[in-house]
């Protein structure tokens, strides 16, 4: 799914727009025991309460594609024969009323989240979206092409808030507000099926993770049995950086890193300016072209290809946002951290002077140290 399609579904999650009439789920302890279950109609809640509930679920469709959101693909055999795909279809087609399929989903999720630190809620919501057609000018038409039926599952930790001091305008102004349990934003979740080309795609689910560090490969494998499990964004970056360092060795200098940084950021900017709907992913050959322009030798390029295949997969594509900083260019020593505007990497040079290594930064305009303007003479 691309950002435009995800945004179209995200806008469904409000009291005024959605056809969600009930939510279903359970509360699970850190030991993996179901403490309680709920199946709550939204008909008797206020609009504000509905918006709060749907607002939590809506966050399962937030973040960057390729970073927080990833397509999980099912093989044709899975769609035709597998128990994991059938369970998801049964939940969707029954509007979450198939108890056996729902409890099987609870079981799989709990099995995959062993060792979690907080009690959590598994929450499900299903919707039927009467998809409006699109005119040539991109505006919505009056007719409908299909009804998109889907459900969203999110896993939300439960935190205990602290006892606080409250202030009441009338009566006794100060009063103690007791501690209470609070449902926090989802840590992970998914939507099934995907909304590709504004139509139903039962061959895909959309996986969400709030953290770009936590490895939820067991969750993905247990629920979807997918052949390709995306690495967390931070692990992608760490793995990519390690590959570049090893293949470049002593040639891994400022020029190589600046070239990599600048060219990948230019690709991101160009993709954004052209308003391409599909998310930007780069394959091995596109990254190799960047490394070749940085001056790496053919032997090093060949080694990069081999290591990329081993760590990411021969046909893998990665988001450049996951391997390059877009908001800053950072230099770090054991004692100093320097942050530079990513558009001004030309200001930075490295030199060896009298046997000592130096980072040189051209100082343009006013120079401020701890809020005080200084002069260099």
């Amino acid at each position: 799914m691309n950002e435009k399609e995800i945004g179209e579904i995200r806008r469904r999650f409000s009291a005024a727009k959605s056809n969600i009439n009930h939510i279903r789920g359970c509360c699970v302890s850190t030991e993996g025991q179901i403490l309680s279950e709920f199946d709550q109609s939204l008909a008797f809640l206020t609009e504000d309460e509905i918006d709060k509930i749907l607002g939590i679920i809506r966050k399962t469709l937030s973040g960057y594609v390729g970073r927080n959101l990833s397509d999980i693909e099912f093989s044709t055999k899975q769609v035709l024969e597998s128990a994991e795909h059938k369970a998801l279809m049964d939940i969707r087609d029954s509007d979450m009323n198939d108890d056996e399929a729902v409890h099987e989903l609870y079981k799989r999720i709990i099995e995959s989240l062993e060792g979690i630190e907080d009690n959590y809620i598994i929450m499900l919501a299903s919707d039927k979206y009467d998809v409006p057609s699109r005119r040539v000018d991109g505006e919505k038409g009056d007719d409908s092409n299909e009804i998109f039926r889907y459900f969203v599952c999110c896993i939300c930790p439960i935190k205990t808030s602290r006892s606080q001091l409250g202030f009441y305008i009338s009566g006794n102004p100060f009063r103690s507000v007791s501690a209470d349990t609070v449902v926090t934003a989802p840590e992970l979740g998914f939507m099934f099926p995907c909304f590709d080309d504004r139509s139903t795609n039962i061959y895909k689910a959309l996986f969400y993770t709030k953290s770009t560090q936590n490895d939820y490969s067991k969750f993905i494998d247990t629920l979807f049995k997918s052949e390709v499990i995306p690495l967390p964004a931070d692990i992608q970056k760490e793995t990519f950086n390690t590959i570049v360092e090893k293949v470049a060795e002593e040639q891994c200098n400022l020029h190589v890193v600046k070239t990599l940084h600048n060219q990948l950021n230019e690709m991101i900017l160009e993709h954004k300016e052209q308003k391409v709907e599909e998310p930007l992913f780069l394959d091995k050959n596109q990254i190799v072209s960047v490394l070749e322009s940085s001056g790496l030798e053919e032997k090093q390029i060949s080694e990069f290809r081999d290591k990329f295949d081993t760590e990411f997969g021969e046909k893998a594509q990665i988001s450049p946002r996951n391997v390059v900083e877009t908001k800053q260019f950072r230099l770090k020593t054991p004692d100093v951290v320097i942050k530079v505007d990513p558009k001004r990497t030309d200001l930075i040079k490295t030199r060896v002077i009298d046997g000592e290594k130096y980072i040189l930064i051209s100082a343009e305009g006013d120079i401020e140290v701890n809020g005080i303007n200084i002069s260099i003479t």
Side-chain angles (χ1 to χ4, degrees), residues 17-160:
K17 291 186 177 181
S18 79
N19 289 319
I20 298 172
N21 52 40
H22 72 123
I23 55 170
R24 184 169 184 174
C26 63
C27 179
V28 185
S29 71
T30 54
E31 292 80 22
Q33 296 178 328
I34 295 180
L35 303 176
S36 63
E37 293 190 44
F38 58 90
D39 190 348
Q40 184 172 359
S41 169
L42 301 185
F44 303 105
L45 301 180
T46 66
E47 186 170 317
D48 182 61
E49 289 170 332
I50 295 173
D51 276 333
K52 281 185 169 63
I53 292 172
L54 297 183
I56 289 175
I57 301 172
R58 183 171 61 241
K59 290 178 180 177
T60 313
L61 302 176
S62 62
Y64 287 109
V65 176
R67 187 170 178 84
N68 308 97
L69 296 162
S70 304
D71 282 346
I72 305 296
E73 295 193 25
F74 295 97
S75 67
T76 301
K77 185 176 181 180
Q78 281 182 293
V79 173
L80 295 176
E81 302 175 3
S82 73
E84 62 272 8
H85 190 273
K86 182 180 184 301
L88 298 177
M89 290 293 292
D90 289 343
I91 294 172
R92 184 200 75 152
D93 294 342
S94 69
D95 190 24
M96 308 185 304
N97 290 317
D98 187 322
D99 290 342
E100 182 178 350
V102 169
H103 284 98
E104 178 63 25
L105 179 64
Y106 294 164
K107 178 183 174 183
R108 288 173 182 263
I109 291 174
I110 292 169
E111 286 176 356
S112 71
L113 295 179
E114 293 178 353
I116 199 163
E117 294 181 356
D118 299 296
N119 292 351
Y120 59 92
I121 281 179
I122 302 172
M123 186 155 51
L124 307 175
S126 64
D127 186 25
K128 299 180 184 68
Y129 177 31
D130 197 2
V131 184
S133 62
R134 289 285 184 186
R135 301 200 304 259
V136 177
D137 60 5
E139 295 297 320
K140 291 182 180 180
D142 297 326
D143 57 335
S144 172
N145 295 324
E146 70 167 294
I147 295 177
F148 175 55
R149 301 179 64 185
Y150 67 100
F151 75 93
V152 174
C153 171
C154 59
I155 290 84
C156 305
I158 300 175
K159 305 285 186 180
T160 302

Side-chain angles (χ1 to χ4, degrees), residues 216-268:
Y216 288 116
S217 56
K218 185 176 181 181
F219 177 90
I220 296 173
D221 182 59
T222 303
L223 263 66
F224 309 116
K225 304 294 182 184
S226 176
E227 295 179 1
V228 180
I229 298 177
L231 290 172
D234 285 9
I235 296 178
Q236 285 187 36
K237 182 175 183 178
E238 181 181 334
T239 303
F240 182 83
N241 289 349
T242 301
I243 293 174
V244 172
E245 288 174 10
K246 286 183 177 180
V247 302
E249 296 181 325
E250 292 183 0
Q251 200 176 335
C252 189
N253 53 35
L254 182 61
H255 171 69
V256 170
V257 177
K258 281 169 64 173
T259 301
L260 190 62
H261 171 90
N262 291 340
Q263 291 199 22
L264 292 182
N265 268 297
E266 284 174 8
M267 290 180 182
I268 294 170

Side-chain angles (χ1 to χ4, degrees), residues 9-21:
I9 299 302
R10 268 176 57 85
R11 290 189 288 274
R12 301 280 308 154
F13 286 83
S14 69
K17 291 186 177 181
S18 79
N19 289 319
I20 298 172
N21 52 40

